[in-house]
Amino acid sequence: MNEILQKITDAELEIMQVLWDAGEPLSIPQIRLALRRSQPWEATTIKTLVNRLHQKGAVMQEKRNLYFYSPVITRRDYADWASRRMIDRLYHGKASAFVAALVDSRDLTQEDLAELKALLEQY
């Protein structure tokens, strides 16, 4: 699965986000409608991106009156892989260094810090 995850481009990830958010199979027109504000891509561009995702094994298609697409990879799978990759690349594989950088950024609210503390205590 890692091979599929690392091959997903940023543009393809936007398609995946739409599919994850929908929670049901979508057609190209439905994907285009969902992307209308953030990415006013033509239907041909969306179709190309979806076909690439299908070829990579990231989405599956089913034929009804149109083709409908749904994700094979979960958002959680992708997030776990992307998080691990970022920690490996930026923090030499040390999650504690990532957490320290997050806390040091001072962008965290007291609520964020309390949630982090609760998560750490839970594990």
PDB file of all heavy atoms in Angstrom, residues 24-56:
ATOM      1  N   GLU A  24     -19.541   8.226  -0.213  1.00  0.00           N
ATOM      2  CA  GLU A  24     -20.265   7.382  -1.158  1.00  0.00           C
ATOM      3  C   GLU A  24     -19.638   7.556  -2.535  1.00  0.00           C
ATOM      4  O   GLU A  24     -18.960   8.558  -2.778  1.00  0.00           O
ATOM      5  CB  GLU A  24     -21.752   7.749  -1.206  1.00  0.00           C
ATOM      6  CG  GLU A  24     -22.019   9.156  -1.726  1.00  0.00           C
ATOM      7  CD  GLU A  24     -23.496   9.520  -1.717  1.00  0.00           C
ATOM      8  OE1 GLU A  24     -24.323   8.692  -1.287  1.00  0.00           O
ATOM      9  OE2 GLU A  24     -23.822  10.629  -2.137  1.00  0.00           O
ATOM     10  N   PRO A  25     -19.831   6.605  -3.434  1.00  0.00           N
ATOM     11  CA  PRO A  25     -19.257   6.740  -4.768  1.00  0.00           C
ATOM     12  C   PRO A  25     -19.777   7.987  -5.489  1.00  0.00           C
ATOM     13  O   PRO A  25     -20.949   8.350  -5.344  1.00  0.00           O
ATOM     14  CB  PRO A  25     -19.721   5.466  -5.488  1.00  0.00           C
ATOM     15  CG  PRO A  25     -20.000   4.493  -4.393  1.00  0.00           C
ATOM     16  CD  PRO A  25     -20.517   5.318  -3.253  1.00  0.00           C
ATOM     17  N   LEU A  26     -18.875   8.649  -6.218  1.00  0.00           N
ATOM     18  CA  LEU A  26     -19.226   9.860  -6.952  1.00  0.00           C
ATOM     19  C   LEU A  26     -18.865   9.715  -8.427  1.00  0.00           C
ATOM     20  O   LEU A  26     -17.883   9.051  -8.770  1.00  0.00           O
ATOM     21  CB  LEU A  26     -18.471  11.071  -6.398  1.00  0.00           C
ATOM     22  CG  LEU A  26     -18.747  11.508  -4.969  1.00  0.00           C
ATOM     23  CD1 LEU A  26     -17.866  12.703  -4.609  1.00  0.00           C
ATOM     24  CD2 LEU A  26     -20.214  11.844  -4.765  1.00  0.00           C
ATOM     25  N   SER A  27     -19.634  10.392  -9.255  1.00  0.00           N
ATOM     26  CA  SER A  27     -19.334  10.458 -10.686  1.00  0.00           C
ATOM     27  C   SER A  27     -18.423  11.658 -10.941  1.00  0.00           C
ATOM     28  O   SER A  27     -18.241  12.520 -10.063  1.00  0.00           O
ATOM     29  CB  SER A  27     -20.632  10.623 -11.481  1.00  0.00           C
ATOM     30  OG  SER A  27     -21.230  11.871 -11.176  1.00  0.00           O
ATOM     31  N   ILE A  28     -17.876  11.746 -12.139  1.00  0.00           N
ATOM     32  CA  ILE A  28     -17.018  12.882 -12.506  1.00  0.00           C
ATOM     33  C   ILE A  28     -17.773  14.205 -12.341  1.00  0.00           C
ATOM     34  O   ILE A  28     -17.227  15.139 -11.737  1.00  0.00           O
ATOM     35  CB  ILE A  28     -16.460  12.720 -13.940  1.00  0.00           C
ATOM     36  CG1 ILE A  28     -15.572  11.474 -14.046  1.00  0.00           C
ATOM     37  CG2 ILE A  28     -15.712  13.975 -14.387  1.00  0.00           C
ATOM     38  CD1 ILE A  28     -14.300  11.496 -13.228  1.00  0.00           C
ATOM     39  N   PRO A  29     -19.027  14.332 -12.814  1.00  0.00           N
ATOM     40  CA  PRO A  29     -19.740  15.596 -12.601  1.00  0.00           C
ATOM     41  C   PRO A  29     -19.915  15.947 -11.120  1.00  0.00           C
ATOM     42  O   PRO A  29     -19.829  17.121 -10.739  1.00  0.00           O
ATOM     43  CB  PRO A  29     -21.096  15.374 -13.281  1.00  0.00           C
ATOM     44  CG  PRO A  29     -20.832  14.327 -14.312  1.00  0.00           C
ATOM     45  CD  PRO A  29     -19.786  13.437 -13.703  1.00  0.00           C
ATOM     46  N   GLN A  30     -20.133  14.956 -10.288  1.00  0.00           N
ATOM     47  CA  GLN A  30     -20.277  15.212  -8.852  1.00  0.00           C
ATOM     48  C   GLN A  30     -18.948  15.653  -8.234  1.00  0.00           C
ATOM     49  O   GLN A  30     -18.927  16.549  -7.380  1.00  0.00           O
ATOM     50  CB  GLN A  30     -20.795  13.962  -8.140  1.00  0.00           C
ATOM     51  CG  GLN A  30     -22.231  13.633  -8.475  1.00  0.00           C
ATOM     52  CD  GLN A  30     -22.655  12.285  -7.928  1.00  0.00           C
ATOM     53  OE1 GLN A  30     -21.925  11.296  -8.034  1.00  0.00           O
ATOM     54  NE2 GLN A  30     -23.849  12.239  -7.335  1.00  0.00           N
ATOM     55  N   ILE A  31     -17.863  15.042  -8.662  1.00  0.00           N
ATOM     56  CA  ILE A  31     -16.542  15.447  -8.172  1.00  0.00           C
ATOM     57  C   ILE A  31     -16.260  16.876  -8.614  1.00  0.00           C
ATOM     58  O   ILE A  31     -15.787  17.700  -7.825  1.00  0.00           O
ATOM     59  CB  ILE A  31     -15.446  14.482  -8.672  1.00  0.00           C
ATOM     60  CG1 ILE A  31     -15.660  13.079  -8.081  1.00  0.00           C
ATOM     61  CG2 ILE A  31     -14.050  15.006  -8.328  1.00  0.00           C
ATOM     62  CD1 ILE A  31     -14.802  11.992  -8.706  1.00  0.00           C
ATOM     63  N   ARG A  32     -16.562  17.176  -9.854  1.00  0.00           N
ATOM     64  CA  ARG A  32     -16.333  18.533 -10.386  1.00  0.00           C
ATOM     65  C   ARG A  32     -17.130  19.562  -9.599  1.00  0.00           C
ATOM     66  O   ARG A  32     -16.622  20.632  -9.259  1.00  0.00           O
ATOM     67  CB  ARG A  32     -16.701  18.589 -11.866  1.00  0.00           C
ATOM     68  CG  ARG A  32     -16.359  19.914 -12.491  1.00  0.00           C
ATOM     69  CD  ARG A  32     -16.628  19.907 -13.973  1.00  0.00           C
ATOM     70  NE  ARG A  32     -16.162  21.154 -14.558  1.00  0.00           N
ATOM     71  CZ  ARG A  32     -16.696  21.694 -15.615  1.00  0.00           C
ATOM     72  NH1 ARG A  32     -17.698  21.114 -16.249  1.00  0.00           N
ATOM     73  NH2 ARG A  32     -16.221  22.835 -16.077  1.00  0.00           N
ATOM     74  N   LEU A  33     -18.360  19.242  -9.284  1.00  0.00           N
ATOM     75  CA  LEU A  33     -19.204  20.154  -8.502  1.00  0.00           C
ATOM     76  C   LEU A  33     -18.602  20.394  -7.117  1.00  0.00           C
ATOM     77  O   LEU A  33     -18.558  21.528  -6.640  1.00  0.00           O
ATOM     78  CB  LEU A  33     -20.616  19.583  -8.394  1.00  0.00           C
ATOM     79  CG  LEU A  33     -21.646  20.446  -7.692  1.00  0.00           C
ATOM     80  CD1 LEU A  33     -21.868  21.752  -8.463  1.00  0.00           C
ATOM     81  CD2 LEU A  33     -22.964  19.691  -7.570  1.00  0.00           C
ATOM     82  N   ALA A  34     -18.111  19.337  -6.489  1.00  0.00           N
ATOM     83  CA  ALA A  34     -17.509  19.468  -5.158  1.00  0.00           C
ATOM     84  C   ALA A  34     -16.227  20.296  -5.193  1.00  0.00           C
ATOM     85  O   ALA A  34     -15.900  20.982  -4.223  1.00  0.00           O
ATOM     86  CB  ALA A  34     -17.229  18.084  -4.575  1.00  0.00           C
ATOM     87  N   LEU A  35     -15.512  20.246  -6.305  1.00  0.00           N
ATOM     88  CA  LEU A  35     -14.246  20.984  -6.445  1.00  0.00           C
ATOM     89  C   LEU A  35     -14.427  22.394  -6.998  1.00  0.00           C
ATOM     90  O   LEU A  35     -13.465  23.156  -7.062  1.00  0.00           O
ATOM     91  CB  LEU A  35     -13.299  20.225  -7.384  1.00  0.00           C
ATOM     92  CG  LEU A  35     -12.640  18.979  -6.836  1.00  0.00           C
ATOM     93  CD1 LEU A  35     -11.965  18.215  -7.953  1.00  0.00           C
ATOM     94  CD2 LEU A  35     -11.654  19.330  -5.745  1.00  0.00           C
ATOM     95  N   ARG A  36     -15.622  22.731  -7.392  1.00  0.00           N
ATOM     96  CA  ARG A  36     -15.892  23.972  -8.127  1.00  0.00           C
ATOM     97  C   ARG A  36     -15.239  25.204  -7.513  1.00  0.00           C
ATOM     98  O   ARG A  36     -14.660  26.012  -8.224  1.00  0.00           O
ATOM     99  CB  ARG A  36     -17.406  24.165  -8.244  1.00  0.00           C
ATOM    100  CG  ARG A  36     -17.818  25.369  -9.046  1.00  0.00           C
ATOM    101  CD  ARG A  36     -19.315  25.498  -9.115  1.00  0.00           C
ATOM    102  NE  ARG A  36     -19.815  25.618  -7.740  1.00  0.00           N
ATOM    103  CZ  ARG A  36     -21.023  25.268  -7.359  1.00  0.00           C
ATOM    104  NH1 ARG A  36     -21.863  24.772  -8.216  1.00  0.00           N
ATOM    105  NH2 ARG A  36     -21.405  25.411  -6.110  1.00  0.00           N
ATOM    106  N   ARG A  37     -15.314  25.367  -6.225  1.00  0.00           N
ATOM    107  CA  ARG A  37     -14.766  26.582  -5.594  1.00  0.00           C
ATOM    108  C   ARG A  37     -13.261  26.529  -5.391  1.00  0.00           C
ATOM    109  O   ARG A  37     -12.569  27.515  -5.580  1.00  0.00           O
ATOM    110  CB  ARG A  37     -15.455  26.826  -4.261  1.00  0.00           C
ATOM    111  CG  ARG A  37     -16.883  27.221  -4.454  1.00  0.00           C
ATOM    112  CD  ARG A  37     -17.543  27.568  -3.170  1.00  0.00           C
ATOM    113  NE  ARG A  37     -18.959  27.827  -3.451  1.00  0.00           N
ATOM    114  CZ  ARG A  37     -19.892  27.787  -2.561  1.00  0.00           C
ATOM    115  NH1 ARG A  37     -19.603  27.503  -1.311  1.00  0.00           N
ATOM    116  NH2 ARG A  37     -21.131  28.033  -2.898  1.00  0.00           N
ATOM    117  N   SER A  38     -12.757  25.383  -4.982  1.00  0.00           N
ATOM    118  CA  SER A  38     -11.324  25.297  -4.688  1.00  0.00           C
ATOM    119  C   SER A  38     -10.485  25.055  -5.938  1.00  0.00           C
ATOM    120  O   SER A  38      -9.365  25.541  -6.025  1.00  0.00           O
ATOM    121  CB  SER A  38     -11.061  24.193  -3.668  1.00  0.00           C
ATOM    122  OG  SER A  38     -11.389  22.925  -4.205  1.00  0.00           O
ATOM    123  N   GLN A  39     -11.003  24.287  -6.885  1.00  0.00           N
ATOM    124  CA  GLN A  39     -10.274  23.954  -8.107  1.00  0.00           C
ATOM    125  C   GLN A  39     -11.252  23.953  -9.281  1.00  0.00           C
ATOM    126  O   GLN A  39     -11.906  22.944  -9.529  1.00  0.00           O
ATOM    127  CB  GLN A  39      -9.620  22.565  -8.008  1.00  0.00           C
ATOM    128  CG  GLN A  39      -8.473  22.480  -7.071  1.00  0.00           C
ATOM    129  CD  GLN A  39      -7.287  23.301  -7.540  1.00  0.00           C
ATOM    130  OE1 GLN A  39      -7.201  23.758  -8.659  1.00  0.00           O
ATOM    131  NE2 GLN A  39      -6.349  23.499  -6.637  1.00  0.00           N
ATOM    132  N   PRO A  40     -11.360  25.039  -9.988  1.00  0.00           N
ATOM    133  CA  PRO A  40     -12.301  25.073 -11.120  1.00  0.00           C
ATOM    134  C   PRO A  40     -11.760  24.345 -12.351  1.00  0.00           C
ATOM    135  O   PRO A  40     -11.627  24.913 -13.429  1.00  0.00           O
ATOM    136  CB  PRO A  40     -12.480  26.575 -11.373  1.00  0.00           C
ATOM    137  CG  PRO A  40     -11.201  27.187 -10.913  1.00  0.00           C
ATOM    138  CD  PRO A  40     -10.717  26.332  -9.771  1.00  0.00           C
ATOM    139  N   TRP A  41     -11.433  23.064 -12.157  1.00  0.00           N
ATOM    140  CA  TRP A  41     -10.886  22.254 -13.232  1.00  0.00           C
ATOM    141  C   TRP A  41     -11.981  21.851 -14.202  1.00  0.00           C
ATOM    142  O   TRP A  41     -13.136  21.657 -13.815  1.00  0.00           O
ATOM    143  CB  TRP A  41     -10.247  20.982 -12.697  1.00  0.00           C
ATOM    144  CG  TRP A  41      -8.976  21.175 -11.933  1.00  0.00           C
ATOM    145  CD1 TRP A  41      -8.026  22.124 -12.135  1.00  0.00           C
ATOM    146  CD2 TRP A  41      -8.497  20.391 -10.835  1.00  0.00           C
ATOM    147  NE1 TRP A  41      -6.988  21.968 -11.255  1.00  0.00           N
ATOM    148  CE2 TRP A  41      -7.257  20.913 -10.441  1.00  0.00           C
ATOM    149  CE3 TRP A  41      -9.005  19.292 -10.154  1.00  0.00           C
ATOM    150  CZ2 TRP A  41      -6.509  20.378  -9.408  1.00  0.00           C
ATOM    151  CZ3 TRP A  41      -8.267  18.756  -9.124  1.00  0.00           C
ATOM    152  CH2 TRP A  41      -7.028  19.300  -8.759  1.00  0.00           C
ATOM    153  N   GLU A  42     -11.590  21.656 -15.438  1.00  0.00           N
ATOM    154  CA  GLU A  42     -12.499  21.123 -16.446  1.00  0.00           C
ATOM    155  C   GLU A  42     -12.739  19.638 -16.159  1.00  0.00           C
ATOM    156  O   GLU A  42     -11.922  18.981 -15.510  1.00  0.00           O
ATOM    157  CB  GLU A  42     -11.905  21.297 -17.848  1.00  0.00           C
ATOM    158  CG  GLU A  42     -11.765  22.741 -18.291  1.00  0.00           C
ATOM    159  CD  GLU A  42     -13.117  23.457 -18.396  1.00  0.00           C
ATOM    160  OE1 GLU A  42     -14.110  22.811 -18.803  1.00  0.00           O
ATOM    161  OE2 GLU A  42     -13.154  24.651 -18.064  1.00  0.00           O
ATOM    162  N   ALA A  43     -13.828  19.138 -16.679  1.00  0.00           N
ATOM    163  CA  ALA A  43     -14.169  17.726 -16.475  1.00  0.00           C
ATOM    164  C   ALA A  43     -13.075  16.807 -17.009  1.00  0.00           C
ATOM    165  O   ALA A  43     -12.798  15.757 -16.412  1.00  0.00           O
ATOM    166  CB  ALA A  43     -15.510  17.410 -17.129  1.00  0.00           C
ATOM    167  N   THR A  44     -12.427  17.202 -18.089  1.00  0.00           N
ATOM    168  CA  THR A  44     -11.370  16.354 -18.667  1.00  0.00           C
ATOM    169  C   THR A  44     -10.181  16.234 -17.714  1.00  0.00           C
ATOM    170  O   THR A  44      -9.577  15.170 -17.610  1.00  0.00           O
ATOM    171  CB  THR A  44     -10.893  16.894 -20.026  1.00  0.00           C
ATOM    172  OG1 THR A  44     -10.515  18.269 -19.872  1.00  0.00           O
ATOM    173  CG2 THR A  44     -11.976  16.770 -21.081  1.00  0.00           C
ATOM    174  N   THR A  45      -9.857  17.316 -17.028  1.00  0.00           N
ATOM    175  CA  THR A  45      -8.753  17.284 -16.050  1.00  0.00           C
ATOM    176  C   THR A  45      -9.107  16.347 -14.897  1.00  0.00           C
ATOM    177  O   THR A  45      -8.291  15.520 -14.483  1.00  0.00           O
ATOM    178  CB  THR A  45      -8.464  18.701 -15.524  1.00  0.00           C
ATOM    179  OG1 THR A  45      -8.132  19.542 -16.620  1.00  0.00           O
ATOM    180  CG2 THR A  45      -7.346  18.696 -14.492  1.00  0.00           C
ATOM    181  N   ILE A  46     -10.320  16.479 -14.407  1.00  0.00           N
ATOM    182  CA  ILE A  46     -10.764  15.630 -13.298  1.00  0.00           C
ATOM    183  C   ILE A  46     -10.775  14.170 -13.732  1.00  0.00           C
ATOM    184  O   ILE A  46     -10.322  13.285 -13.000  1.00  0.00           O
ATOM    185  CB  ILE A  46     -12.139  16.088 -12.785  1.00  0.00           C
ATOM    186  CG1 ILE A  46     -12.008  17.480 -12.158  1.00  0.00           C
ATOM    187  CG2 ILE A  46     -12.712  15.086 -11.784  1.00  0.00           C
ATOM    188  CD1 ILE A  46     -13.309  18.157 -11.847  1.00  0.00           C
ATOM    189  N   LYS A  47     -11.259  13.924 -14.932  1.00  0.00           N
ATOM    190  CA  LYS A  47     -11.298  12.548 -15.434  1.00  0.00           C
ATOM    191  C   LYS A  47      -9.884  11.973 -15.534  1.00  0.00           C
ATOM    192  O   LYS A  47      -9.647  10.815 -15.170  1.00  0.00           O
ATOM    193  CB  LYS A  47     -11.987  12.495 -16.787  1.00  0.00           C
ATOM    194  CG  LYS A  47     -12.218  11.111 -17.278  1.00  0.00           C
ATOM    195  CD  LYS A  47     -13.086  11.081 -18.515  1.00  0.00           C
ATOM    196  CE  LYS A  47     -13.364   9.635 -18.874  1.00  0.00           C
ATOM    197  NZ  LYS A  47     -14.363   9.490 -19.895  1.00  0.00           N
ATOM    198  N   THR A  48      -8.936  12.769 -16.002  1.00  0.00           N
ATOM    199  CA  THR A  48      -7.543  12.319 -16.089  1.00  0.00           C
ATOM    200  C   THR A  48      -7.007  11.969 -14.707  1.00  0.00           C
ATOM    201  O   THR A  48      -6.382  10.916 -14.516  1.00  0.00           O
ATOM    202  CB  THR A  48      -6.665  13.407 -16.743  1.00  0.00           C
ATOM    203  OG1 THR A  48      -7.126  13.636 -18.073  1.00  0.00           O
ATOM    204  CG2 THR A  48      -5.201  13.014 -16.757  1.00  0.00           C
ATOM    205  N   LEU A  49      -7.237  12.847 -13.731  1.00  0.00           N
ATOM    206  CA  LEU A  49      -6.743  12.600 -12.372  1.00  0.00           C
ATOM    207  C   LEU A  49      -7.386  11.360 -11.761  1.00  0.00           C
ATOM    208  O   LEU A  49      -6.707  10.540 -11.132  1.00  0.00           O
ATOM    209  CB  LEU A  49      -6.997  13.825 -11.490  1.00  0.00           C
ATOM    210  CG  LEU A  49      -6.186  15.073 -11.848  1.00  0.00           C
ATOM    211  CD1 LEU A  49      -6.702  16.287 -11.091  1.00  0.00           C
ATOM    212  CD2 LEU A  49      -4.710  14.852 -11.580  1.00  0.00           C
ATOM    213  N   VAL A  50      -8.697  11.205 -11.957  1.00  0.00           N
ATOM    214  CA  VAL A  50      -9.398  10.042 -11.413  1.00  0.00           C
ATOM    215  C   VAL A  50      -8.898   8.765 -12.092  1.00  0.00           C
ATOM    216  O   VAL A  50      -8.697   7.747 -11.422  1.00  0.00           O
ATOM    217  CB  VAL A  50     -10.927  10.208 -11.564  1.00  0.00           C
ATOM    218  CG1 VAL A  50     -11.654   8.914 -11.247  1.00  0.00           C
ATOM    219  CG2 VAL A  50     -11.431  11.330 -10.664  1.00  0.00           C
ATOM    220  N   ASN A  51      -8.686   8.822 -13.392  1.00  0.00           N
ATOM    221  CA  ASN A  51      -8.161   7.645 -14.097  1.00  0.00           C
ATOM    222  C   ASN A  51      -6.773   7.261 -13.595  1.00  0.00           C
ATOM    223  O   ASN A  51      -6.459   6.076 -13.451  1.00  0.00           O
ATOM    224  CB  ASN A  51      -8.142   7.873 -15.609  1.00  0.00           C
ATOM    225  CG  ASN A  51      -9.520   7.743 -16.216  1.00  0.00           C
ATOM    226  OD1 ASN A  51     -10.385   7.046 -15.696  1.00  0.00           O
ATOM    227  ND2 ASN A  51      -9.737   8.428 -17.333  1.00  0.00           N
ATOM    228  N   ARG A  52      -5.945   8.260 -13.311  1.00  0.00           N
ATOM    229  CA  ARG A  52      -4.620   7.969 -12.749  1.00  0.00           C
ATOM    230  C   ARG A  52      -4.736   7.289 -11.386  1.00  0.00           C
ATOM    231  O   ARG A  52      -4.020   6.339 -11.087  1.00  0.00           O
ATOM    232  CB  ARG A  52      -3.801   9.249 -12.618  1.00  0.00           C
ATOM    233  CG  ARG A  52      -3.296   9.789 -13.925  1.00  0.00           C
ATOM    234  CD  ARG A  52      -2.488  11.041 -13.685  1.00  0.00           C
ATOM    235  NE  ARG A  52      -2.164  11.704 -14.928  1.00  0.00           N
ATOM    236  CZ  ARG A  52      -1.708  12.941 -15.005  1.00  0.00           C
ATOM    237  NH1 ARG A  52      -1.502  13.653 -13.903  1.00  0.00           N
ATOM    238  NH2 ARG A  52      -1.444  13.477 -16.168  1.00  0.00           N
ATOM    239  N   LEU A  53      -5.650   7.817 -10.557  1.00  0.00           N
ATOM    240  CA  LEU A  53      -5.875   7.215  -9.242  1.00  0.00           C
ATOM    241  C   LEU A  53      -6.373   5.777  -9.377  1.00  0.00           C
ATOM    242  O   LEU A  53      -5.984   4.898  -8.608  1.00  0.00           O
ATOM    243  CB  LEU A  53      -6.861   8.054  -8.431  1.00  0.00           C
ATOM    244  CG  LEU A  53      -6.315   9.369  -7.886  1.00  0.00           C
ATOM    245  CD1 LEU A  53      -7.443  10.276  -7.413  1.00  0.00           C
ATOM    246  CD2 LEU A  53      -5.326   9.104  -6.754  1.00  0.00           C
ATOM    247  N   HIS A  54      -7.220   5.552 -10.363  1.00  0.00           N
ATOM    248  CA  HIS A  54      -7.735   4.201 -10.599  1.00  0.00           C
ATOM    249  C   HIS A  54      -6.602   3.277 -11.046  1.00  0.00           C
ATOM    250  O   HIS A  54      -6.475   2.146 -10.564  1.00  0.00           O
ATOM    251  CB  HIS A  54      -8.853   4.239 -11.642  1.00  0.00           C
ATOM    252  CG  HIS A  54      -9.435   2.902 -11.914  1.00  0.00           C
ATOM    253  ND1 HIS A  54      -9.213   2.225 -13.082  1.00  0.00           N
ATOM    254  CD2 HIS A  54     -10.226   2.097 -11.151  1.00  0.00           C
ATOM    255  CE1 HIS A  54      -9.842   1.066 -13.036  1.00  0.00           C
ATOM    256  NE2 HIS A  54     -10.461   0.963 -11.882  1.00  0.00           N
ATOM    257  N   GLN A  55      -5.749   3.749 -11.943  1.00  0.00           N
ATOM    258  CA  GLN A  55      -4.619   2.942 -12.417  1.00  0.00           C
ATOM    259  C   GLN A  55      -3.644   2.624 -11.286  1.00  0.00           C
ATOM    260  O   GLN A  55      -3.029   1.553 -11.266  1.00  0.00           O
ATOM    261  CB  GLN A  55      -3.890   3.664 -13.544  1.00  0.00           C
ATOM    262  CG  GLN A  55      -4.681   3.727 -14.826  1.00  0.00           C
ATOM    263  CD  GLN A  55      -4.047   4.645 -15.868  1.00  0.00           C
ATOM    264  OE1 GLN A  55      -3.086   5.360 -15.584  1.00  0.00           O
ATOM    265  NE2 GLN A  55      -4.609   4.636 -17.064  1.00  0.00           N
ATOM    266  N   LYS A  56      -3.501   3.541 -10.338  1.00  0.00           N
ATOM    267  CA  LYS A  56      -2.597   3.339  -9.207  1.00  0.00           C
ATOM    268  C   LYS A  56      -3.206   2.429  -8.146  1.00  0.00           C
ATOM    269  O   LYS A  56      -2.516   1.997  -7.229  1.00  0.00           O
ATOM    270  CB  LYS A  56      -2.248   4.688  -8.563  1.00  0.00           C
ATOM    271  CG  LYS A  56      -1.402   5.574  -9.448  1.00  0.00           C
ATOM    272  CD  LYS A  56      -1.197   6.937  -8.830  1.00  0.00           C
ATOM    273  CE  LYS A  56      -0.397   7.828  -9.765  1.00  0.00           C
ATOM    274  NZ  LYS A  56      -0.179   9.172  -9.191  1.00  0.00           N
TER     275      LYS A  56
END
